[in-house]
C-alpha cells in the first residue's frame, strides 16, 4: 500500500502547486489614471443578463439605466450608445443628471423604416439636448456587415448634419480597414471614428503586442485622413473565451491591455473610447463566449473586474479549485482500490498504480476548471446539455477507468456498448466503461467537427476533454486485450476521423494557440487509444 499512498500524496501536492501557480496574481502595469482621473469615454449598452436587443417589445426600465449611469459617472466623463430604441430615449436626461456627456448612436441596418425611426429619434434628442449630446454616430460597422453602401451612408450623414444643432458633431464608426477602403466617406463626417480591436484582426494580435499594434494603426489612419480628427471609437480586450492564434482572453490580459491603451492615449493625446462598460451576455449568441465578456465591469455584480495598477488573478477561486482537484484525485485512487477488492484480484503492480496516478492527476487538475467554465461557455439548451454531459463524463470516466484498472478488466470495445450480446462474459464494469466510451466518442466528435467546420466562435473544450481522454488512454495502456478478436471496424473508422481532426485543428489555428494545440493533442490521443482498442490482441 505504500506506493499508491505515495503516488496519491504526490498527485495531490502537484495539483495544489499548479493551482497555486495559476491563481497567483499576474502583475499589472502602473495605473494610467492619476488620482481622481476618469476614463475619457466608454461604450454603453443597457442590457443585463436575460435581456437582449432581439427581445421583441423589451423596454429597458429608466431605473436600470439610472443605476448604471450612477456607477459610470464615478469612472468616466462620457458614454457612447448604439441605438435610440428600447427605452434608450431617456439617456440624455439621465446623463445630464449624472454629469455625463453622450456620443449618441444611431443603429443603421437594412430596413429603411427602422433606420428612419432611429434617425428621427436621434435628431430629436440632439436638438433637445445639445448640452449633453456632443456627437451623433450615424451607423456602427454598417459597411463591415454589408448592410448599406458608402453612398447611402453619406446621404444619411448629410441629412443628420443638416438637422442637428451646429455644436453637435456627426460621424460614422467602423473598423479601420473599412475606412481605408471607403476614404471618400471622410468628407461627410466632422471626425473619423475607427474601431481598432487587436483581438478581432484578421491576423489576431497577442495581448502583449496589442498596444503597439493599436499605435501603429492609429498613426496609419491619421496619415490617411490627415487634417481630420480621429476618435478610436472601440478598443479593448475580452476577459473570457477562446484563443485566436496567440490572442488569449483572460482577466489579467484585459486589465493589462486596457491600462496600457489608456497610457498610450494619454502619451499621444489620442481620443479614445473603451469597449465596453458592462459585459453583454447576449452577444454570446452571435460571437461565442468571447463576445459576452468585453466589459471591464461584471454583468451581474456591476463592479470592476480589476483594480487600476494592481495584479489580477485569472483564477481567484484557486484555493477551492485546488481542494476540489485533490478530492477528485483521491477519489480516482479510491476507485482503483475498490475495483481491486471488488474483483478479488491480486495486488496491482507498479504500472497499474502509475496509470491510475496519471488519471488522477489530469482529472484532479482539470475537473475544477471545467466546473468553472461550464456556466460561462454554455448557451441555450444545446450548450447546457453538452456542458452537463461533459461534467458527468469528465468525472465518471476517470473513476470507471481507474476501477477497471483495479479490477484488471480487459479492454472494452464499442461492440460491448452497442451490441452486448455479441461479446459474452463481459462484466458490469466492462459494460459501464464501454457505454462511457461510446458516449464520450459522440461528445468528442461533435466538438471536433465544430472546431473543423465552424471554428470561429467555438470554445476549446480542453478542460472537459482532458479527464475523459486521460482516463481511456491510461486504461488502454495497461489493460489486457479485448475479449473479441474481430468486429472492431467502428474503432478504426473513429480513429481515422479523429486523427484528421486532431491534425487539422492546430494547423488551422496556428501553433501560437496553445488551446488549439492542447485540444488537438487530446483528439489525437483519443485516436491512438481507439487504434489500440481496434488492434490489441487481434490474430494476424
Amino acid at each position: 500500500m505504500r506506493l499508491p499512498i505515495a503516488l496519491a500524496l504526490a498527485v495531490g501536492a502537484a495539483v495544489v502547486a499548479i493551482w497555486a501557480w495559476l491563481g497567483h496574481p499576474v502583475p499589472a502595469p502602473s495605473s494610467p489614471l492619476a488620482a481622481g482621473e476618469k476614463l475619457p469615454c466608454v461604450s454603453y449598452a443597457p442590457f443585463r443578463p436575460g435581456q437582449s436587443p432581439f427581445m421583441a417589445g423589451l423596454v429597458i426600465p429608466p431605473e436600470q439605466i439610472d443605476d448604471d449611469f450612477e456607477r459610470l459617472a464615478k469612472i468616466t466623463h462620457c458614454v457612447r450608445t448604439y441605438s435610440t430604441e428600447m427605452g434608450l430615449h431617456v439617456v440624455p436626461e439621465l446623463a445630464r443628471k449624472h454629469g455625463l456627456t453622450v456620443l449618441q448612436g444611431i443603429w443603421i441596418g437594412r430596413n429603411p423604416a427602422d433606420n428612419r425611426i432611429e434617425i428621427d429619434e436621434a435628431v430629436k434628442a440632439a436638438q433637445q439636448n445639445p448640452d449633453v449630446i456632443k456627437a451623433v454616430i450615424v451607423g456602427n460597422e454598417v459597411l463591415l456587415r454589408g448592410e448599406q453602401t458608402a453612398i447611402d451612408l453619406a446621404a444619411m450623414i448629410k441629412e443628420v448634419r443638416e438637422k442637428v444643432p451646429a455644436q453637435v458633431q456627426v460621424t460614422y464608426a467602423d473598423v479601420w480597414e473599412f475606412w481605408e477602403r471607403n476614404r471618400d466617406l471622410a468628407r461627410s463626417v466632422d471626425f473619423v471614428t475607427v474601431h481598432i480591436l487587436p483581438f478581432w484582426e484578421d491576423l489576431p494580435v497577442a495581448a502583449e503586442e496589442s498596444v503597439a499594434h493599436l499605435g501603429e494603426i492609429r498613426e496609419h489612419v491619421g496619415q490617411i485622413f490627415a487634417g481630420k480628427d480621429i476618435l478610436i471609437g472601440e478598443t479593448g480586450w475580452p476577459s473570457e473565451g477562446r484563443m485566436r492564434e496567440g490572442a488569449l482572453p483572460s482577466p489579467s490580459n484585459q486589465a493589462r491591455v486596457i491600462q496600457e491603451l489608456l497610457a498610450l492615449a494619454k502619451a499621444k493625446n489620442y481620443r479614445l473610447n473603451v469597449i465596453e462598460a458592462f459585459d453583454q451576455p447576449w452577444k454570446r449568441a452571435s460571437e461565442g463566449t468571447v463576445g459576452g465578456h468585453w466589459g471591464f465591469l461584471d454583468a451581474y455584480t456591476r463592479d470592476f473586474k480589476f483594480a487600476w495598477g494592481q495584479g489580477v488573478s485569472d483564477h481567484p477561486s484557486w484555493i477551492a479549485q485546488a481542494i476540489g482537484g485533490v478530492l477528485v484525485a483521491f477519489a480516482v485512487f479510491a476507485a482503483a482500490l475498490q475495483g481491486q477488492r471488488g474483483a478479488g484480484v491480486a495486488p496491482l503492480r507498479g504500472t497499474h498504480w502509475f496509470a491510475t496516478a496519471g488519471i488522477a492527476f489530469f482529472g484532479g487538475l482539470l475537473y475544477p476548471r471545467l466546473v468553472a467554465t461550464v456556466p460561462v461557455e454554455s448557451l441555450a439548451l444545446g450548450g447546457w446539455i453538452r456542458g452537463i454531459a461533459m461534467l458527468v463524463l469528465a468525472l465518471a470516466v476517470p473513476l470507471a477507468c481507474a476501477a477497471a484498472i483495479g479490477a484488471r478488466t480487459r479492454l472494452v470495445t464499442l461492440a460491448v456498448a452497442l451490441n452486448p450480446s455479441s461479446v459474452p462474459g463481459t462484466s458490469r464494469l466492462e459494460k459501464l466503461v464501454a457505454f462511457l466510451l461510446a458516449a464520450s466518442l459522440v461528445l468528442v466528435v461533435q466538438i471536433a467537427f465544430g472546431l473543423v467546420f465552424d471554428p470561429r466562435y467555438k470554445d476549446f473544450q480542453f478542460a472537459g476533454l482532458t479527464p475523459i481522454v486521460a482516463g481511456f488512454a491510461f486504461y488502454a495502456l495497461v489493460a489486457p486485450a479485448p475479449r473479441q478478436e474481430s468486429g472492431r471496424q467502428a474503432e478504426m473508422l473513429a480513429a481515422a476521423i479523429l486523427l484528421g481532426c486532431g491534425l487539422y485543428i492546430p494547423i488551422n489555428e496556428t501553433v501560437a494557440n496553445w488551446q488549439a494545440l492542447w485540444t488537438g493533442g487530446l483528439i489525437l490521443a483519443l485516436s491512438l487509444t481507439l487504434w489500440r482498442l481496434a488492434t490489441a490482441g487481434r490474430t494476424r
Side-chain angles (χ1 to χ4, degrees), residues 49-406:
Q51 299 174 338
S52 88
F54 306 115
M55 297 176 66
L58 173 66
V59 176
I60 303 298
E63 297 79 13
Q64 183 173 310
I65 299 174
D66 186 47
D67 178 67
D68 287 342
F69 279 9
E70 182 178 2
R71 297 172 185 271
L72 292 177
K74 298 174 183 177
I75 62 173
T76 187
H77 300 287
C78 160
V79 293
R80 175 189 171 183
T81 64
Y82 291 80
S83 176
T84 63
E85 297 187 276
M86 305 189 84
L88 285 169
H89 63 280
V90 301
V91 162
E93 175 188 350
L94 295 177
R96 181 183 295 110
K97 172 183 175 181
H98 294 287
L100 294 167
T101 58
V102 178
L103 303 180
Q104 176 65 59
I106 297 178
W107 189 261
I108 299 297
R110 296 185 186 278
N111 189 305
D114 292 340
N115 294 341
R116 174 49 49 194
I117 292 172
E118 283 277 339
I119 290 172
D120 290 346
E121 286 296 319
V123 167
K124 177 181 177 182
Q127 291 172 341
Q128 295 177 350
N129 302 278
D131 59 319
V132 173
I133 296 178
K134 299 303 180 182
V136 175
I137 303 176
V138 185
N140 181 72
E141 297 185 351
V142 183
L143 296 175
L144 172 66
R145 297 192 304 274
E147 294 179 343
Q148 297 287 340
T149 67
I151 294 175
D152 292 333
L153 280 172
M156 295 179 197
I157 293 168
K158 180 181 179 182
E159 176 188 350
V160 172
R161 286 189 71 179
E162 291 174 347
K163 293 181 178 180
V164 300
Q167 67 266 42
V168 177
Q169 295 185 305
V170 180
T171 184
Y172 165 71
D174 213 322
V175 177
W176 66 272
E177 293 100 328
F178 282 84
W179 271 108
E180 189 174 38
R181 299 171 194 172
N182 298 273
R183 301 185 185 193
D184 289 344
L185 189 60
R187 300 174 185 172
S188 303
V189 298
D190 294 310
F191 62 91
V192 173
T193 301
V194 296
H195 296 172
I196 308 175
L197 298 163
F199 180 85
W200 282 128
E201 294 282 17
D202 291 337
L203 298 175
V205 181
E208 58 269 22
E209 301 169 358
S210 63
V211 176
H213 172 79
L214 180 136
E216 293 174 0
I217 298 302
R218 170 59 181 81
E219 292 300 314
H220 174 67
V221 172
Q223 293 173 4
I224 293 175
F225 301 109
K228 280 283 186 181
D229 194 12
I230 308 294
L231 168 66
I232 302 174
E234 285 186 1
T235 190
W237 198 264
S239 62
E240 297 284 353
R242 56 109 74 206
M243 289 185 73
R244 296 190 68 235
E245 298 188 11
L248 173 66
S250 72
S252 63
N253 278 342
Q254 182 183 62
R256 172 181 179 169
V257 170
I258 289 178
Q259 293 180 91
E260 289 183 348
L261 288 173
L262 290 171
L264 176 68
K266 289 181 68 175
K268 297 287 189 177
N269 199 29
Y270 293 156
R271 292 181 62 190
L272 183 73
N273 174 75
V274 178
I275 184 167
E276 58 193 326
F278 300 99
D279 278 343
Q280 295 294 304
W282 63 270
K283 289 185 179 179
R284 296 184 301 161
S286 57
E287 299 178 11
T289 299
V290 69
H293 293 89
W294 282 79
F296 53 83
L297 298 168
D298 184 84
Y300 295 89
T301 66
R302 319 304 279 179
D303 292 329
F304 257 102
K305 297 178 182 178
F306 57 87
W308 301 113
Q310 297 183 19
V312 179
S313 173
D314 291 327
H315 303 280
S317 302
W318 72 266
I319 294 177
Q321 291 173 304
I323 293 172
V326 170
L327 292 176
V328 171
F330 285 177
V332 170
F333 279 97
L337 285 171
Q338 184 60 37
Q340 175 190 334
R341 292 168 183 167
V345 297
L348 300 180
R349 297 193 300 269
T351 53
H352 296 100
W353 284 121
F354 279 106
T356 301
I359 296 174
F361 173 73
F362 287 108
L365 183 63
L366 273 300
Y367 195 79
R369 179 181 171 95
L370 173 63
V371 172
T373 57
V374 164
V376 175
E377 297 178 352
S378 298
L379 181 67
L381 180 61
W384 278 104
I385 290 174
R386 185 184 65 183
I388 292 171
M390 196 172 299
L391 283 170
V392 173
L393 290 171
L395 186 60
V397 169
L399 295 178
C401 288
I405 290 174

Side-chain angles (χ1 to χ4, degrees), residues 401-469:
C401 288
I405 290 174
R408 295 190 177 182
T409 65
R410 292 178 175 274
L411 284 173
V412 297
T413 62
L414 293 172
V416 176
L418 303 178
N419 187 16
S421 61
S422 66
V423 191
T426 54
S427 66
R428 290 183 178 178
L429 181 56
E430 289 173 321
K431 291 177 181 178
L432 173 61
V433 173
F435 171 78
L436 292 174
L437 174 63
S440 298
L441 189 56
V442 172
L443 178 68
V444 174
V445 168
Q446 188 263 348
I447 292 171
F449 278 9
L451 292 172
V452 169
F453 296 107
D454 185 26
R456 181 175 175 85
Y457 301 119
K458 297 291 190 302
D459 294 309
F460 295 100
Q461 306 289 338
F462 61 91
L465 294 182
T466 299
I468 296 171
V469 174

